[in-house]
């Protein structure tokens, strides 16, 4: 007979996006309102699907054999709820269940998750819905998986099916044609992070292990470090409960979890105000209803504070900044307008300048432009509609500098600026024609590449009203590398733009560990040298 074991599990989620304020212009047509931004790519880990275990000798007696370790003592059935709170305010819920279908040997065990989240951003409430599903055969091997995200006009889905051996055929659907890839996934993979608890509970305080997770969008591996910190008592629903305190670290970002002795996740905290707590279905649904009525802008809590105000930030020719809280191993990029003077421990001194607009006088060549001209999964520069539009806006007869200026002006004028929660995709933006800094950046980069101008996305922070907010903007090569900001209408990015990463999603994941840690101190005026 099958033995039912009910345990509360959860799925962690943070959306990947920055949010654009509507432009406000003064009499001199200089922007007074800025984009406030947050790009949190760790939602792909937070959904934590396709987790592959890689146990290290001395920490455990053997590697965890995937789902077999989960089900080896009998069928595990789940029907569990957790509420999501942002800055102590209810924002949504996550619901996980596992069910059995004895009549279908290829989908004998099916795992489901649904996460509903309401994000209050700049007076507007954004509803985000995520679903995840995995089907296992009678031998507990993963056969199919799916993931979908929808928010307003934007939607994305990823579906994977075992094709041959360990190779899965993965189809990604958004706007425009679907994209298909084949990837190898070993049998020791799991769909969502709650299942990790079954293994990590074996760790004693002071022990740690490492797991590999596969980024479901870029299909690149990421490493997660799991540590058992201590034994503790957690006040849960009015009574103290013994718990093991666990830490999970990805790209420098640490989440803390309290797990009861019977494997029930009671609470999880992040470094930037997100918290999840176990509850019943009624309380979880009420948390989502309360989140739908929330109006507080939560972005301000994750901005990097500035020790002193910066006067006339848009007009400063140059700045020197001291960044505190930067992990010593963090690879801070050097760009044409940003260089590091020195670095000691978690402190870095940066010198930044305002970039000049593209000019026909810039005539240098790029040794290998191909990486900055080729299409990418969400930069569909070869899509017919992208190519046609690029040729219309920036015909080949124009110089690269003129093409870059024309594309910047078109994106700035035509993409409506509003808060958006999405995985940025150039084709999606072209269809919807609205979004925040991510959407502006991805559409611009795709158009530039289609027009023959090398381009890449940058992510980092930009100054606004006493703090540095997370933001995205592009760089193009038109005789030299030039950073532009089509969201803010800057042909040359101002000196308060601090680049923290460049490139695709895998590279952008690096900023996750900086959220909630950075502190910025403006230093004396720097000459524009």
């Amino acid at each position: 007979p099958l033995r039912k074991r009910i345990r509360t599990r959860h799925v962690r989620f943070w959306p990947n996006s920055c949010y654009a304020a509507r432009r406000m212009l003064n009499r001199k047509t200089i922007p007074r309102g800025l984009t406030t931004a947050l790009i949190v790519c760790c939602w792909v880990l937070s959904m934590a699907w396709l987790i592959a275990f890689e146990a290290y000798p001395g920490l455990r007696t053997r590697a965890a054999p995937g789902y077999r370790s989960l089900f080896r003592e009998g069928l595990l059935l789940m029907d569990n709820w957790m509420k999501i709170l942002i800055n102590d305010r209810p924002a949504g819920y996550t619901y996980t269940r596992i069910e059995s279908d004895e009549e279908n040997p290829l989908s004998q065990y099916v795992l489901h998750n649904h996460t509903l989240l309401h994000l209050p951003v700049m007076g507007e409430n954004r509803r985000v819905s995520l679903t995840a599903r995995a089907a296992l055969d009678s031998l507990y091997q993963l056969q199919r998986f799916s993931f979908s995200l929808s928010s307003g006009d934007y939607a994305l889905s990823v579906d994977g099916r075992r094709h041959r051996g360990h190779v899965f055929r993965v189809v990604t659907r958004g706007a425009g044609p679907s994209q298909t890839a084949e990837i190898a996934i070993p049998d020791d993979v799991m769909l969502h992070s709650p299942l990790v608890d079954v293994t990590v509970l074996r760790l004693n305080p002071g022990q740690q292990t490492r797991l590999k997770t596969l980024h479901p969008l870029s299909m690149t591996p990421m490493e997660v470090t799991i540590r058992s910190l201590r034994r503790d008592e957690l006040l849960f629903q009015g009574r103290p409960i013994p718990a093991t305190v666990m830490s999970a670290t990805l790209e420098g970002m640490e989440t803390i979890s309290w797990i009861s002795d019977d494997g029930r996740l009671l609470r999880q905290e992040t470094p930037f105000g997100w918290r999840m707590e176990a509850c019943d279905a009624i309380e979880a649904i009420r948390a989502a209803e309360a989140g739908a009525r929330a109006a507080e802008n939560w972005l301000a809590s994750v901005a990097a504070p500035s020790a002193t105000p910066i006067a006339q930030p848009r007009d400063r020719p140059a700045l020197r900044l001291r960044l505190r809280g930067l992990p010593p191993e963090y690879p801070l990029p050097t760009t044409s307008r940003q260089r590091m003077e020195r670095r000691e421990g978690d402190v870095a001194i940066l010198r930044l300048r305002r970039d000049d607009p593209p000019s026909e006088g810039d005539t240098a060549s790029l040794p290998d432009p191909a990486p900055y001209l080729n299409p990418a999964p969400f930069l569909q520069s070869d899509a017919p509609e992208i190519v046609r539009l690029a040729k219309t806006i920036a015909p080949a007869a124009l110089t690269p500098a003129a093409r870059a200026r024309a594309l910047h002006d078109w994106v700035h004028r035509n993409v409506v600026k509003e808060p958006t929660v999405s995985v940025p995709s150039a084709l999606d933006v072209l269809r919807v024609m609205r979004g925040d800094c991510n959407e502006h950046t991805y559409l611009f980069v795709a158009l530039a590449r289609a027009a023959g101008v090398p381009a890449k996305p940058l992510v980092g922070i930009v100054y606004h009203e006493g703090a540095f907010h997370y933001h995205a903007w592009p760089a193009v090569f038109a005789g030299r590398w030039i950073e532009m900001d089509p969201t803010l209408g800057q042909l040359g990015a101002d000196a308060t733009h601090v680049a923290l990463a460049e490139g695709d999603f895998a590279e952008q994941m690096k900023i996750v560990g900086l959220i909630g840690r950075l502190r910025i101190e403006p230093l004396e005026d720097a000459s524009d040298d």
Side-chain angles (χ1 to χ4, degrees):
L2 297 176
R3 181 163 55 92
K4 179 185 288 189
R5 295 180 288 150
I6 305 297
R7 292 183 180 178
T8 298
R9 301 291 184 221
H10 70 291
V11 173
R12 297 188 285 268
F13 162 68
W14 296 275
N16 169 31
S17 189
C18 72
Y19 301 87
R22 293 181 176 86
R23 293 271 319 231
M24 296 184 295
L25 305 179
N26 64 15
R27 295 178 182 177
K28 297 182 181 179
T29 69
I30 295 174
R32 290 186 289 137
L34 276 185
T35 300
T36 55
L38 177 64
I39 299 179
V40 187
C41 299
C42 70
W43 61 267
V44 295
L45 170 70
S46 304
M47 289 307 293
W49 49 312
L50 304 183
I51 291 183
F53 284 84
E54 186 179 70
Y56 280 65
L59 297 178
R60 300 211 305 256
T61 58
R62 58 185 176 84
Y67 287 110
R68 288 190 180 90
S69 68
L70 179 64
F71 290 107
R72 67 179 181 270
E73 297 177 4
L75 177 62
L76 172 64
L77 300 181
M78 298 185 196
D79 190 52
N80 306 294
W81 298 80
M82 296 194 78
K83 61 183 178 181
I84 303 172
L85 301 99
I86 300 177
N87 296 332
D88 296 324
R89 295 178 180 272
Y93 67 79
T94 181
Y95 169 61
T96 303
R97 76 178 188 273
I98 297 179
E99 56 192 26
S100 175
D101 182 359
E102 296 291 336
E103 297 180 357
N104 188 347
L106 293 181
S107 298
Q108 192 154 349
Y109 309 108
V110 183
L111 300 86
H112 302 267
N113 173 266
H114 179 228
T115 298
L116 180 64
L117 190 65
H118 292 275
L119 294 176
V121 181
M122 294 185 167
E124 299 184 26
N125 199 299
R126 297 294 170 182
R127 183 182 187 273
V128 184
S129 177
L130 298 102
T131 60
R133 182 180 184 273
L136 316 178
D137 63 17
S138 57
L139 298 177
Y140 313 120
Q141 292 182 336
L142 181 66
Q143 296 296 320
R144 298 189 65 179
F145 62 86
S146 64
F147 169 80
S148 65
L149 179 152
S150 63
S151 175
D153 295 319
Y154 288 92
L156 173 75
S157 67
V158 180
D159 294 277
R161 181 193 294 265
R162 189 181 291 269
H163 180 50
R164 63 179 184 278
H166 297 303
V167 176
F168 282 68
R169 179 166 291 169
V170 181
V171 180
T172 303
R173 297 180 179 88
S178 62
Q179 302 176 49
T180 302
E182 291 189 353
I183 61 170
I185 303 177
D187 286 336
D188 58 352
V189 300
M190 295 187 180
L191 176 69
H192 45 99
S193 59
L195 305 180
V196 176
D197 302 338
V198 175
T199 299
V200 300
L201 277 173
R202 301 171 188 161
L203 297 179
N204 296 320
Q207 291 183 319
Q208 71 176 34
T209 189
R210 295 180 182 179
L211 317 173
K212 281 186 178 178
T213 182
L214 189 66
H215 192 305
L217 299 180
S218 66
M219 299 300 168
T220 56
M222 298 182 296
E223 189 173 86
V224 188
T225 300
I226 306 291
R227 292 185 297 144
S228 178
L229 301 180
R230 62 185 183 276
R231 294 283 296 169
D232 199 359
E233 276 196 349
L234 178 70
L235 187 63
F236 181 73
Q237 296 180 346
R239 60 190 181 93
I241 295 181
T244 300
V245 183
M246 309 294 297
S247 162
T249 304
L250 168 77
E251 298 287 356
M253 190 197 77
E254 183 181 45
T255 61
I256 305 297
S257 301
W258 284 258
I259 303 173
S260 66
D261 291 342
D262 63 355
R264 186 184 188 202
L265 183 102
L266 305 175
R267 180 185 177 103
Q268 185 180 74
E269 295 181 351
T270 74
F272 48 91
W274 294 63
R275 186 170 81 250
M276 295 178 46
E277 296 179 353
C279 63
D280 58 28
I282 294 177
E283 189 175 358
I285 292 172
R286 285 176 177 170
E289 292 173 346
R293 299 188 296 269
E296 178 188 2
N297 179 20
W298 61 275
L299 289 172
S301 63
V302 297
S306 178
T308 57
I310 299 177
Q312 298 180 321
R314 309 283 77 82
D315 301 326
R316 301 290 288 272
L319 281 174
R320 290 180 70 239
L321 300 176
R322 178 181 286 117
L323 276 64
R324 297 186 182 276
L326 195 69
E329 70 280 3
Y330 186 86
L332 199 66
T334 296
T335 74
S336 59
R337 45 166 296 278
Q338 169 180 308
R339 65 181 178 87
M340 187 165 13
E341 288 188 357
R342 65 178 183 273
R343 186 167 180 172
E344 297 178 3
D346 69 344
V347 177
I349 307 295
L350 294 183
R351 182 181 292 269
L352 303 112
R353 64 173 179 84
R354 183 178 59 209
D355 218 339
D356 296 321
S359 168
E360 277 68 17
D362 300 319
T363 58
S365 60
L366 195 60
D368 182 14
Y372 311 106
L373 289 172
N374 293 335
F378 297 96
L379 293 167
Q380 304 95 335
S381 56
D382 58 346
E385 49 268 66
I386 295 284
V387 173
R388 284 194 301 269
L389 181 58
K391 290 180 178 179
T392 301
I393 301 169
L398 298 178
T399 65
R403 277 177 271 166
R405 292 194 299 267
L407 292 170
H408 167 278
D409 293 345
W410 189 91
V411 171
H412 175 67
R413 287 195 309 264
N414 289 280
V415 179
V416 177
K417 292 147 188 65
E418 68 174 31
T420 302
V421 180
S422 75
V423 176
S425 163
L427 277 176
D428 276 331
V429 183
L430 187 59
R431 175 179 60 88
V432 176
M433 290 305 291
R434 65 174 63 96
D436 55 38
C437 56
N438 274 321
E439 283 66 41
H440 286 69
T441 297
Y442 270 67
L443 180 57
F444 176 89
V445 170
L447 288 170
R449 292 183 180 186
V453 182
K456 60 186 176 182
L458 297 173
V459 293
I461 51 179
V462 67
Y463 182 81
H464 173 55
E465 294 183 349
F468 284 80
H469 297 262
Y470 288 88
H471 189 50
W473 65 95
V476 295
F477 190 89
R480 62 180 175 89
W481 279 112
I482 304 150
E483 296 178 36
M484 312 174 84
D485 195 331
T487 312
L488 303 181
Q490 297 180 353
L491 285 168
D494 68 55
T496 73
H497 286 68
V498 180
L500 300 175
E502 63 178 47
D504 59 15
F505 286 112
E507 292 301 312
Q508 293 174 19
M509 284 294 294
K510 294 174 181 176
I511 74 168
V512 170
L514 303 181
I515 296 174
R517 298 175 58 166
L518 285 183
R519 300 292 183 271
I520 314 295
E521 180 185 353
L523 302 177
E524 69 274 9
D525 287 345
S527 61
D528 190 4
D529 58 359

